[in-house]
């Protein structure tokens, strides 16, 4: 049985909505993007949602509206995708990379406290696999030190922290709609916030810095006249992506339930396997289950993580690793002098992590096959 790592969940609902857009005569950013923003904001329960062509673009413009400057520092976890750090370098500012907690893989609170300097302007907590970070503690640190909190919620649709939905907590929250994400449109992103001025500025900056509603200039009733207000970016999404987003948003809770079911079944299956450490979800929060990451108990196995992945592949199951910590990449090592010794928890996690397939279209047989194969390999290679 061939089990890919991910398959987007595309049904006739998505196809019909895209065909409707194609037939409408308006395929770039337009009325469906505006509707997608409105429906997303309503779902999250926040005043503003601004759509982008990627989650990275959302993060970039979040840092732009807080006026990040070259001398500033921004604290980020090492266990993340490079996008979290890369956007800081767009300003010639400094990403300050810190360690994470071994249970949730989320940014460590003591590590944030230790990394704060007079130059710190913001912190970007990354809700790993969809599980919210310790937001009360992070908000408190931010208040005490006058920092902005920009949440990297690329994995967290939907997720809850003490019954508050992710997207309503920090200063700006950035979602990704990349193909493997809980809401997938191919490439896309969204920023949510309460600040009206920031939302207006992001809408201008995402389309070359030209006046508000510039997308309408070729529409019936729109005006050819526009003004460039500042240097912006080509970060707008299109109505084709928005069509996919609208169709998926309608079933986002159902898609979540499907991932919850799979996670529950994996955890049950692995509960009595001493060679495995299953994901920990803290009792006061709910994860989106974008990823299901097992950790190998290497002390109880005669096989390492890479070979385990190879064995899974021999059985036609594709897995992945989230993430190669930033401090291990040549760029971050060379430019910021990162040393693995400063990230013992992330190193420990990285050595033993494997992300298993988890997506709504998985059949029961596929879930069972993945679980049975993992358990079989644990038995075969037990020490
Ligand atoms: C943690 C994290 N942050 C940011 C991003 C960037 O999102 P996008 O690919 O939509 O630019 C990703 C995407 O993989 C991610 O996993």
């Amino acid at each position: 049985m061939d089990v890919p790592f991910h398959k987007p969940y595309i049904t006739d609902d998505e196809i019909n909505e895209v065909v409707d857009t194609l037939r409408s005569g308006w395929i770039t950013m337009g009325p469906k993007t505006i509707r997608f923003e409105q429906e997303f904001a309503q779902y999250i329960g926040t005043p503003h949602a601004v759509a982008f062509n990627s989650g990275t673009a959302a993060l970039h413009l979040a840092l732009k509206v807080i006026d990040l400057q070259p001398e500033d520092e921004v604290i980020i976890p090492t266990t993340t995708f490079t996008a979290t750090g890369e956007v800081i370098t767009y300003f010639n500012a400094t990403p300050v990379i810190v360690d994470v907690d071994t249970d949730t893989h989320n940014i460590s609170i003591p590590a944030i406290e230790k990394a704060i300097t007079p130059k710190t302007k913001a912190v970007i907590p990354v809700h790993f696999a969809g599980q919210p970070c310790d937001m009360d503690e992070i908000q408190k640190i931010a208040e005490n030190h006058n920092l902005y909190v920009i949440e990297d919620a690329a994995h967290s649709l939907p997720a809850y922290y003490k019954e508050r939905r992710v997207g309503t907590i920090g200063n700006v929250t950035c979602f990704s709609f990349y193909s493997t994400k809980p809401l997938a449109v191919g490439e896309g992103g969204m920023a949510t916030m309460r600040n009206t001025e920031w939302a207006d500025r992001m809408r201008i900056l995402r389309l070359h810095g030209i006046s508000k509603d510039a997308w309408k200039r070729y529409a019936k009733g729109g005006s050819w006249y526009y003004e460039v207000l500042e240097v912006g970016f080509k970060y707008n999404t299109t109505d084709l992506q928005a069509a996919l987003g609208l169709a998926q948003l309608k079933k986002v809770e159902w898609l979540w339930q499907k991932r919850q079911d799979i996670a529950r079944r994996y955890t049950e299956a692995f509960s009595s396997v001493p060679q495995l450490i299953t994901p920990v979800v803290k009792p006061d929060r709910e994860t989106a289950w974008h990823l299901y990451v097992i950790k190998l108990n290497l002390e109880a196995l005669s096989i390492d993580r890479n070979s385990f992945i190879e064995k899974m592949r021999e059985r036609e199951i594709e897995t992945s690793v989230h993430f190669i910590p930033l401090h291990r990449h040549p760029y971050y090592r060379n430019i910021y002098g990162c040393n693995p010794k400063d990230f013992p928890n992330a190193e420990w996690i990285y050595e033993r992590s494997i992300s298993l397939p988890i997506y709504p279209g998985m059949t029961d047989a596929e879930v069972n096959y993945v679980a049975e194969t993992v358990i079989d390999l644990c038995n075969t290679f037990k020490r």
Side-chain angles (χ1 to χ4, degrees), residues 229-259:
L229 304 175
E230 61 179 314
V231 170
F233 303 87
K234 179 67 175 172
Y235 278 173
N236 61 296
T237 187
T238 76
D239 271 17
L240 293 167
Q241 264 92 27
L244 286 168
L246 282 165
Q248 298 217 337
L249 193 57
K250 284 199 181 80
K251 51 182 147 197
V252 73
E253 293 280 326
W254 180 84
L255 295 168
W256 183 35
Q257 248 177 42
K258 299 296 274 185
R259 292 191 304 276

Side-chain angles (χ1 to χ4, degrees), residues 5-21:
F5 179 66
H6 183 79
K7 254 190 292 185
Y9 194 77
I10 302 294
T11 67
D12 281 349
D13 301 338
E14 284 80 5
I15 292 168
N16 291 339
E17 198 68 54
V18 171
V19 169
D20 178 68
T21 308

Side-chain angles (χ1 to χ4, degrees), residues 81-337:
F81 185 57
T82 186
T84 318
E86 163 190 313
V87 291
I88 300 161
T89 69
Y90 294 172
F91 299 83
N92 292 321
T94 306
V96 176
I97 304 168
V98 304
D99 208 358
V100 295
D101 289 335
T102 47
D103 52 357
T104 59
H105 308 191
N106 278 337
I107 193 162
S108 145
I109 299 302
I112 297 177
E113 281 167 335
K114 220 173 119 196
I116 289 173
T117 74
K119 292 181 181 172
T120 311
K121 173 98 168 211
V123 54
I124 309 183
V126 176
H127 306 311
F128 181 87
Q131 175 168 204
C133 296
D134 298 328
M135 292 312 294
D136 278 354
E137 288 82 352
I138 291 170
Q139 295 281 86
K140 198 152 190 262
I141 294 172
E143 262 167 47
N144 291 345
H145 296 271
N146 209 13
L147 312 179
Y148 292 103
V149 177
I150 309 297
E151 289 173 66
D152 183 335
H155 302 177
S156 314
L157 190 72
Y160 293 86
Y161 176 80
K162 299 188 178 173
E163 284 163 31
R164 279 182 286 161
R165 185 168 277 165
V166 166
T168 62
I169 305 170
N171 294 105
V172 183
T173 306
C174 301
F175 296 88
S176 166
F177 305 142
Y178 175 69
S179 308
T180 59
K181 296 297 194 296
L183 188 155
V185 307
E187 300 287 351
M190 190 79 84
T192 60
M193 71 217 82
R194 291 173 295 277
N195 188 316
T196 305
E197 221 173 278
W198 288 355
D200 288 346
R201 184 148 179 244
M202 279 192 191
R203 290 199 167 94
I204 290 168
L205 284 169
R206 76 173 162 189
L207 197 58
H208 302 295
I210 56 184
S211 21
K212 212 171 153 196
D213 295 339
W215 64 268
K216 280 187 190 153
R217 67 195 186 281
Y218 299 115
K220 200 168 165 228
S223 166
W224 59 269
Y225 185 77
Y226 62 86
E227 289 180 340
V228 177
L229 304 175
E230 61 179 314
V231 170
F233 303 87
K234 179 67 175 172
Y235 278 173
N236 61 296
T237 187
T238 76
D239 271 17
L240 293 167
Q241 264 92 27
L244 286 168
L246 282 165
Q248 298 217 337
L249 193 57
K250 284 199 181 80
K251 51 182 147 197
V252 73
E253 293 280 326
W254 180 84
L255 295 168
W256 183 35
Q257 248 177 42
K258 299 296 274 185
R259 292 191 304 276
Q260 284 175 314
D261 285 347
I262 298 167
R264 201 174 303 121
R265 287 172 54 193
Y266 279 154
T267 300
E268 267 169 33
F270 302 149
S271 62
S272 54
V273 182
Q275 292 84 6
L276 296 176
I277 304 163
T278 51
V280 171
V281 181
K282 292 195 172 172
D284 58 358
R285 55 203 82 174
E286 287 184 74
T287 173
W289 287 116
H290 164 54
L291 301 172
Y292 188 94
V293 178
I294 51 166
K295 292 191 284 286
L296 301 181
N297 178 2
L298 294 177
E299 291 68 32
L301 284 163
S302 61
I303 188 172
D304 67 9
R305 189 272 315 278
N306 293 359
S307 310
F308 202 100
I309 286 178
E310 273 315 304
K311 295 286 172 202
M312 294 286 284
R313 177 165 276 172
E314 281 168 20
R315 313 252 185 123
E316 299 182 322
I317 298 170
E318 295 300 327
T319 59
S320 191
V321 176
H322 295 86
F323 290 95
I324 304 164
L326 295 186
H327 69 261
R328 279 189 163 242
H329 291 287
Y331 170 76
Y332 293 96
R333 258 193 354 238
N334 296 340
I335 304 292
Y336 303 105

